Amino acid sequence: MGTRQYGRKTSHSEPGPGDGGRTGSWRVARPILDEHACIPAKRGAQACYMCWLYCPDGVISRTIPPKIDYEYCKGCGICAEECPTKAISMVEESCFIRSEERKP
Amino acid sequence: MHIIESGNVAAALGVKLSRAQVIAAYPITPQTPLTEKLSEIIEMGEMDAQYVPVESEHSALAVCIAASSTGARAFTATSANGLLYMHEQIHWAAGARLPLVMCVVNRGVGSPWTIWNDHQDSISQRDTGWIQIYVNDHQQIIDGVIKAFKLAEEVMIPVMLCYDGYILSHTYMPFEIPNQEQVDAFLPPYKPEYALDPMSPANLNTVTLPDVRLDTRGRLAHGYMEIRYLLQEDMIKTIEVMNGVDKHYMEHFGRGGCPLYETYQCEDARFIAVSLGSLSYHLREVIDRLRNEGIKAGIMSVHLYRPFPAEAIAEGLASAEGVIVFEKALSYGYQGALCSDVRSALYPANGSRKKSPFVHNYILGLGGREIKTSDLYEAFKDSCRKGPSAGKDLMWIGLKI
Amino acid sequence: MHTKTTILSLPEEEFVNPGNRACAGCGLGTSYRIALKALGWNTILVVPPSCLTVLQGLYPIAATKLPCLNVTFASTAAASTGMLAALKALNKQAIKVVAWAGDGGTSDIGLQALSGAAERGDNFLFICYDNEAYMNTGVQRSGTTPQWAITANTPIKGKLQQKKDVPAIMAAHNLSYVATCSASFPLDLYDKVGKAVTLPGVKYIHIQIPCPPGWGFEPRYAVKLGKLAVETGLFELYEVENSQFKLTGASQKIADKRSLVPVAEYFKAQSRFKLMKASQIEEIQERINKKWAGSFETAEDTDED
């Protein structure tokens, strides 16, 4: 089956996620947030959010605590580097691959 | 209303009647008076359009492309090196399927510099996916501009309307100015299927992969090749649409009737000349002279050059003994582009052995070299005499080497 | 008195979809994300070939949630003009037009059209995101590549010429607003973009964008590196509003404290400068010191009052 029925005749893209596929697969290391060190988590209130601010991909949410979307997080490490309390550490992706493979 | 004015003014009036909304202007001889006239019309408040004096021709077409993508009817004009400067954008507008109209006031290209008429500028753009129409006099210019907008917006392919620099752009002829109300009835406001809009966001003309891919709604979208195929498919359909537009114009204004090509004395002609633009009318003098001598000659003036109406042209030439193509341009390293196209149209894809006319190719008038009727007559007569045994593939008229 | 935006007062809404093809740690990623928050929905973007073209998504998926017109390399500013003309003709002038071009598309191939648009006074914001080379095509040198940087086509000697000062060129067009920003100071960027779109004519904002693969550093240090560029005084954050020059943010702080971080630290952190000789670093340090001497004197005068 071809694309004859496709409505448009030009290069016309609509907004949507994942143009680059599952960019989470690019990661060599994964950012893990320690809620005990994270300022908004500890305070139970909106605060800091340096990780949310600097994330180039917008995959960290401005919630209490911030949540990272691992589907798309590329593992750049900026959040870990900029966190004022070092609440985020970069953990090798290989650890998670093995445990995720074991999941039923 | 009947007036006597220049070809450039005829074009400008056509643009005014077509209610173009965005006009990009950059000066280049011999097109300049066209956009100057438009600036005068706009500044006098006689036309409600945005006049953008750009800093280059590449930018002129950039303005038109963006304006059209945003939903406005856009126009620009240029010649020669200006046309070449916007070459990248010409391809772009075609692939983006934008209904731009551009007048190309034909002029030879550098180097070396020339400001005089030949067709190398527009001929060199024939592969870009624009519709290319050549007109022969001022009436055809003003009618042609209006029809161009209609055609462009119907098939969503940009149109290049070509007329000879100086010979048409700067000479004065009488012509009829269509009535604005009638033009409005023929050409309604531009309403594209899509125009850039925050209410319906889209990212236009970005990088397109070689293969097809699913879009955000899970539907299989075109790849680059499909998008380009559709341009070609719609170009071919344009021939039929052009017939319709011309018929429609005839009903409103009483003029037209030969959208693909215009003939003079071809009905019983043994030898048919083929050419583009004002040269076609010049050749009529030669036809008359030959007819007086008993030679059954005729002239086919091609109007729609791209898409090339191969079938129709082949039909029009099939019964002739000889075809003589007179051109003011060539594809260097081979032959005249029009001649190539005509020969190809006469040679069927199935390679059948049915007798075809001989085809001669004359190059003339490059850089505005004077075209003498006597030279045309001699060449035509020579071709009729020599027929298939002319020997040379390419012949030149007016060369002083 | 204009209130500076804080992280918490930034709009939460995202105008970019995740999962785009930008490199990990891309400075443009942050700048684009935050600047779009300042622009809002009623905006149409104009983008030439550049890293942003790729970031915004390949057909048929758009990472950007705003409408955008991709245009040929040289024509960004001209296309912006054309878009504005159409919006005027259609009575939709409230829609903002914002061009985003890379350094190549601004300072090299795009400069002619940009100058033309600036002279015509067309009402749009032109943002140059400057990662200091033709990064999208593999790190070739551009007009804004800094001196001595190793690039794909200055692989052994490094770039011999100095960085082209595009903001100064644009300021010479007497624009209502010219500003420099850094990907490492996104709140400053947010405020400047927000201010720019309220002003008339062409507005120009130049953002320095640290680029991990192009500059040669670990992605995690992207923000630190951008800050270092400013703290060494090599890159200044400033505004030129109605021909009045004013240092802003971290650059203003440098002037106040009269202290510059040695520029050697900045060069040593990036492998694109690995072949720099000590004498070349010293020469640049002297240039920086001279450049800042005036601002330091002004600060001193202010102190003495």
Side-chain angles (χ1 to χ4, degrees):
Chain A
M1 220 209 49
T3 60
R4 170 61 74 180
Q5 300 312 315
Y6 199 68
R8 300 198 184 276
K9 295 183 175 181
T10 56
S11 172
H12 176 118
S13 311
E14 288 174 345
D19 164 58
R22 198 182 146 259
T23 53
S25 65
W26 298 9
R27 279 198 305 273
V28 174
R30 178 185 299 204
I32 298 294
L33 187 132
D34 177 3
E35 293 188 24
H36 297 109
C38 168
I39 297 173
K42 284 198 308 194
R43 287 192 203 165
Q46 297 252 315
C48 184
Y49 290 130
M50 292 285 225
C51 54
W52 171 83
L53 176 72
Y54 285 116
C55 175
D57 290 87
V59 293
I60 304 182
S61 63
R62 206 169 90 181
T63 48
I64 305 160
K67 287 272 179 252
I68 298 168
D69 182 355
Y70 294 111
E71 181 77 2
Y72 296 119
C73 164
K74 296 168 184 169
C76 69
I78 287 175
C79 54
E81 183 65 28
E82 296 306 312
C83 176
T85 60
K86 296 289 158 222
I88 300 178
S89 18
M90 301 304 291
V91 180
E92 273 200 34
E93 194 62 22
S94 47
C95 309
F96 302 96
I97 293 171
R98 268 181 244 121
S99 63
E100 275 162 12
E101 272 171 3
R102 271 189 231 115
K103 280 193 186 138
Chain B
M1 184 176 127
H2 226 80
I3 64 166
I4 298 175
E5 255 292 358
S6 69
N8 276 335
V9 168
L13 294 175
V15 176
K16 175 190 173 200
L17 288 163
S18 304
R19 299 196 188 274
Q21 293 166 294
V22 175
I23 293 160
Y26 192 77
I28 184 165
T29 304
Q31 159 274 132
T32 321
L34 192 174
T35 43
E36 279 174 2
K37 184 68 187 174
L38 282 170
S39 73
E40 188 190 301
I41 292 172
I42 292 166
E43 287 193 10
M44 298 222 315
E46 289 172 12
M47 184 182 179
D48 183 18
Q50 304 303 310
Y51 185 91
V52 187
V54 286
E55 71 298 327
S56 84
E57 286 93 348
H58 188 278
S59 290
L61 214 45
V63 163
C64 292
I65 287 166
S68 186
S69 303
T70 314
R73 183 172 283 160
F75 172 84
T76 192
T78 192
S79 304
N81 286 63
L83 184 67
L84 303 185
Y85 193 177
M86 48 161 86
H87 181 66
E88 168 188 43
Q89 303 283 51
I90 291 173
H91 280 277
W92 194 272
R97 303 300 300 269
L98 297 169
L100 307 179
V101 170
M102 173 160 68
C103 280
V104 175
V105 185
N106 289 116
R107 164 185 149 181
V109 303
S111 66
W113 279 125
T114 173
I115 59 165
W116 295 277
N117 166 254
D118 75 32
H119 287 162
Q120 195 70 33
D121 56 0
S122 54
I123 289 293
S124 71
Q125 305 304 305
R126 68 195 185 280
D127 296 335
T128 56
W130 277 56
I131 295 165
Q132 243 188 41
I133 299 169
Y134 289 80
V135 291
N136 304 351
D137 65 20
H138 298 18
Q139 188 67 68
Q140 287 181 8
I141 291 175
I142 190 171
D143 290 340
V145 169
I146 299 166
K147 281 191 270 189
F149 278 108
K150 181 92 179 135
L151 180 64
E153 287 170 19
E154 228 173 281
V155 293
M156 294 304 273
I157 296 173
V159 178
M160 213 178 275
L161 190 79
C162 308
Y163 60 90
D164 290 306
Y166 290 116
I167 300 171
L168 293 180
S169 67
H170 283 62
T171 56
Y172 281 66
M173 277 190 212
F175 57 91
E176 177 81 24
I177 303 177
N179 168 276
Q180 181 72 72
E181 266 174 35
Q182 284 183 293
V183 175
D184 290 340
F186 173 78
L187 179 70
Y190 175 48
K191 287 267 179 302
E193 215 181 281
Y194 180 80
L196 285 164
D197 186 359
M199 300 299 282
S200 166
N203 190 23
L204 301 184
N205 304 317
T206 188
V207 178
T208 301
L209 292 162
D211 211 340
V212 293
R213 187 156 89 117
L214 295 177
D215 70 4
T216 55
R217 302 194 216 176
R219 306 170 302 187
L220 192 64
H222 301 308
Y224 178 89
M225 198 158 165
E226 285 71 38
I227 289 173
R228 285 274 155 178
Y229 171 83
L230 286 165
L231 172 62
Q232 167 67 0
E233 194 177 71
D234 290 342
M235 276 283 262
I236 304 301
K237 285 186 187 157
T238 296
I239 298 171
E240 219 22 68
V241 179
M242 175 94 177
N243 283 326
V245 167
D246 185 79
K247 191 156 162 257
H248 199 184
Y249 198 84
M250 178 77 113
E251 284 162 14
H252 279 258
F253 303 96
R255 286 187 300 275
C258 40
L260 307 184
Y261 58 78
E262 192 179 337
T263 54
Y264 178 73
Q265 304 266 42
C266 282
E267 300 76 21
D268 62 341
R270 281 176 66 204
F271 307 101
I272 300 180
V274 183
S275 66
L276 298 165
S278 64
L279 179 60
S280 313
Y281 281 3
H282 189 173
L283 277 162
R284 287 184 180 191
E285 276 188 61
V286 175
I287 303 301
D288 288 343
R289 215 173 134 182
L290 291 167
R291 284 266 171 183
N292 272 340
E293 293 173 17
I295 298 172
K296 291 196 173 151
I299 159 87
M300 172 193 275
S301 169
V302 176
H303 282 309
L304 183 67
Y305 181 57
R306 279 294 183 274
F308 192 65
E311 238 180 89
I313 286 176
E315 218 179 283
L317 298 173
S319 54
E321 252 175 70
V323 171
I324 302 134
V325 186
F326 293 87
E327 298 191 62
K328 292 179 184 175
L330 73 158
S331 176
Y332 285 90
Y334 190 30
Q335 62 193 220
L338 178 61
C339 181
S340 287
D341 291 339
V342 167
R343 281 192 184 146
S344 161
L346 290 168
Y347 191 103
N350 62 14
S352 81
R353 285 278 179 201
K354 195 175 68 155
K355 187 163 189 321
S356 304
F358 67 79
V359 181
H360 288 176
N361 191 197
Y362 286 97
I363 305 298
L364 60 148
L366 296 189
R369 173 61 53 88
E370 188 187 357
I371 299 168
K372 295 196 173 132
T373 314
S374 51
D375 286 348
L376 288 174
Y377 164 78
E378 290 302 335
F380 202 136
K381 199 151 177 202
D382 203 45
S383 279
C384 297
R385 228 175 354 99
K386 288 191 182 145
S389 59
K392 281 197 196 148
D393 235 15
L394 193 64
M395 294 167 279
W396 294 67
I397 296 175
L399 193 61
K400 296 187 182 181
I401 210 164
Chain C
M1 176 72 193
H2 172 74
T3 334
K4 289 216 186 108
T5 306
T6 62
I7 299 179
L8 295 181
S9 67
L10 273 177
E12 226 181 298
E13 191 169 24
E14 299 294 341
F15 292 80
V16 193
N17 280 303
N20 61 55
R21 295 172 199 253
C23 301
C26 173
L28 175 62
T30 312
S31 309
Y32 182 69
R33 236 189 92 218
I34 303 300
L36 255 49
K37 291 174 193 276
L39 296 173
W41 290 111
N42 209 23
T43 308
I44 306 178
L45 305 176
V46 180
V47 171
S50 53
C51 289
L52 186 57
T53 311
V54 176
L55 191 162
Q56 287 194 149
L58 273 51
Y59 172 79
I61 301 173
T64 184
K65 297 184 187 177
L66 293 177
C68 175
L69 187 66
N70 287 277
V71 297
T72 56
F73 212 171
S75 68
T76 314
S80 306
T81 298
M83 187 176 285
L84 281 166
L87 291 172
K88 194 156 182 222
L90 300 167
N91 226 347
K92 293 182 176 176
Q93 286 109 298
I95 299 175
K96 292 186 283 297
V97 173
V98 180
W100 280 87
D103 45 290
T106 305
S107 84
D108 297 343
I109 195 171
L111 195 60
Q112 182 172 295
L114 176 54
S115 180
E119 180 267 326
R120 283 190 303 269
D122 304 314
N123 191 26
F124 67 94
L125 169 60
F126 191 105
I127 299 176
C128 169
Y129 61 91
D130 182 8
N131 47 26
E132 302 188 337
Y134 288 90
M135 294 306 186
N136 192 31
T137 46
V139 198
Q140 293 82 27
R141 61 90 93 199
S142 80
T144 64
T145 302
Q147 200 175 28
W148 310 127
I150 295 169
T151 63
N153 57 353
T154 59
I156 295 166
K157 294 186 181 171
K159 188 196 182 199
L160 303 177
Q161 301 82 6
Q162 289 184 38
K163 184 182 176 77
K164 190 189 281 193
D165 190 351
V166 188
I169 293 171
M170 295 320 296
H173 285 73
N174 279 324
L175 304 181
S176 63
Y177 191 73
V178 171
T180 56
C181 299
S182 162
S184 300
F185 296 96
L187 297 176
D188 176 65
L189 170 64
Y190 179 88
D191 284 338
K192 284 170 173 163
V193 168
K195 182 198 262 191
V197 290
T198 63
L199 298 168
V202 169
K203 285 79 61 177
Y204 181 80
I205 289 182
H206 193 107
I207 315 174
Q208 194 197 37
I209 306 278
C211 167
W215 295 15
F217 62 87
E218 291 273 319
R220 64 182 290 146
Y221 299 120
V223 175
K224 295 241 153 61
L225 211 38
K227 285 188 175 165
L228 204 50
V230 174
E231 286 156 5
T232 56
L234 187 61
F235 186 79
E236 300 125 53
L237 300 174
Y238 63 81
E239 283 175 318
V240 181
E241 212 177 328
N242 296 319
S243 306
Q244 294 283 79
F245 175 95
K246 190 181 80 166
L247 289 171
T248 62
S251 292
Q252 181 56 58
K253 290 201 181 93
I254 292 174
D256 292 342
K257 289 194 189 142
R258 274 167 275 147
S259 91
L260 293 167
V261 171
V263 78
E265 269 188 50
Y266 177 71
F267 292 136
K268 293 206 170 108
Q270 305 162 64
S271 68
R272 66 176 171 156
F273 292 119
K274 69 179 180 218
L275 296 179
M276 271 184 94
K277 303 187 191 105
S279 58
Q280 290 167 338
I281 298 179
E282 263 169 51
E283 204 211 326
I284 292 181
Q285 186 66 72
E286 265 175 53
R287 250 187 255 153
I288 294 175
N289 293 343
K290 236 193 216 164
K291 186 172 62 166
W292 282 90
S295 307
F296 289 177
E297 263 174 40
T298 321
E300 271 178 24
D301 294 340
T302 323
D303 282 349
E304 280 161 19
D305 284 341

